Amino acid sequence: MTHNTEHLKNLGISQLNEMQTEVLQEFKPGNDLVLYAPTGSGKTVAFLLSILKTLSSDTDKIQVIVIAPVRELAIQIDTVIRKMSTGNRVACVYGGHSIREESRSLEVVPAIIIGTPGRILDLIHRKIIDVKNVHTLVLDEFDKSLELGFESEMSEIAERLHKLQTKILTSATKIENYPSFLKLNDPKTINFL
């Protein structure tokens, strides 16, 4: 827990809220988790602390992909994890940003990639990022990604993650039927709506 305390201190948070505490207690690498909680309730901190448990320091491959529906959210997640000072390399990728610049920032392979679905897929197609060792996929504000029509991009990204073991979905609205590409494996559902 000392790591968490340190990371939280860097964010200026003295203790986790009830939802974050439950997520950390219930999250087990290898098991899928669906989190329903309102916007602004601290979901980002909850899933970032969870994915930190899955990272291995003895590999220089991408291990986690975090997909956000819009650039602003991707940047916000990136800002939070950088403030946490986890010691893990992170790259944030999104449209409207020069591909050349992003390629340079990816020359040293990050452990975590945060980005929008279209840009992540574009970088995979261009072979700028190699996702074959990714074991954890986070779909943040998953409801919005579906609303904005990103299902096919997310589906293709998920299909390419052959070593995927863990999926974390967050949403501010209840989803009745999950798209089949997710292949959710008896997910633990935490509902704070």
Side-chain angles (χ1 to χ4, degrees):
M1 267 323 213
T2 50
H3 280 320
N4 284 354
T5 319
E6 197 55 40
H7 300 332
L8 290 174
K9 209 168 78 189
N10 293 338
L11 290 172
I13 297 173
S14 56
Q15 68 183 72
L16 295 174
N17 65 29
E18 186 190 346
M19 177 268 288
Q20 293 163 333
T21 303
E22 189 173 334
V23 168
L24 278 180
Q25 283 167 351
E26 296 294 344
F27 175 76
K28 308 265 180 306
N31 296 351
D32 295 339
L33 181 120
V34 178
L35 170 61
Y36 291 116
T39 304
S41 59
K43 292 192 292 286
T44 303
V45 170
F47 75 69
L48 287 176
L49 288 174
S50 298
I51 62 176
L52 291 176
K53 292 188 199 177
T54 72
L55 293 175
S56 159
S57 55
D58 60 1
T59 178
D60 59 353
K61 306 275 190 274
I62 299 167
Q63 299 174 59
V64 177
I65 290 180
V66 179
I67 297 180
V70 293
R71 157 182 30 194
E72 292 72 22
L73 182 58
I75 293 168
Q76 190 185 316
I77 297 165
D78 181 56
T79 303
V80 172
I81 196 163
R82 286 178 193 278
K83 267 194 196 149
M84 286 164 88
S85 304
T86 66
N88 297 291
R89 279 193 62 80
V90 180
C92 186
V93 300
Y94 48 85
H97 200 201
S98 138
I99 281 265
R100 189 176 300 139
E101 207 175 288
E102 283 186 353
S103 305
R104 267 205 301 273
S105 76
L106 292 161
E107 278 167 8
V108 178
V109 179
I112 302 169
I113 289 238
I114 300 161
T116 50
R119 180 50 64 98
I120 290 172
L121 194 55
D122 187 24
L123 293 170
I124 293 171
H125 286 163
R126 291 171 186 255
K127 296 186 172 30
I128 292 170
I129 57 175
D130 174 0
V131 295
K132 65 172 176 277
N133 290 284
V134 170
H135 53 64
T136 302
L137 174 65
V138 179
L139 298 173
D140 192 22
E141 295 202 4
F142 180 65
D143 50 333
K144 283 229 180 70
S145 290
L146 288 177
E147 230 171 78
L148 293 169
F150 290 129
E151 186 169 342
S152 67
E153 287 93 336
M154 292 190 296
S155 174
E156 190 180 336
I157 292 167
E159 258 167 48
R160 290 166 177 263
L161 308 180
H162 302 302
K163 292 194 178 163
L164 187 58
Q165 298 161 359
T166 310
K167 294 177 280 296
I168 300 174
L169 272 65
T170 79
S171 175
T173 56
K174 206 88 168 72
I175 295 165
E176 290 314 313
N177 299 304
Y178 300 111
S180 58
F181 78 83
L182 287 169
K183 299 185 180 83
L184 286 178
N185 181 12
D186 188 24
K188 174 77 194 165
T189 302
I190 296 177
N191 188 1
F192 274 81
L193 287 181

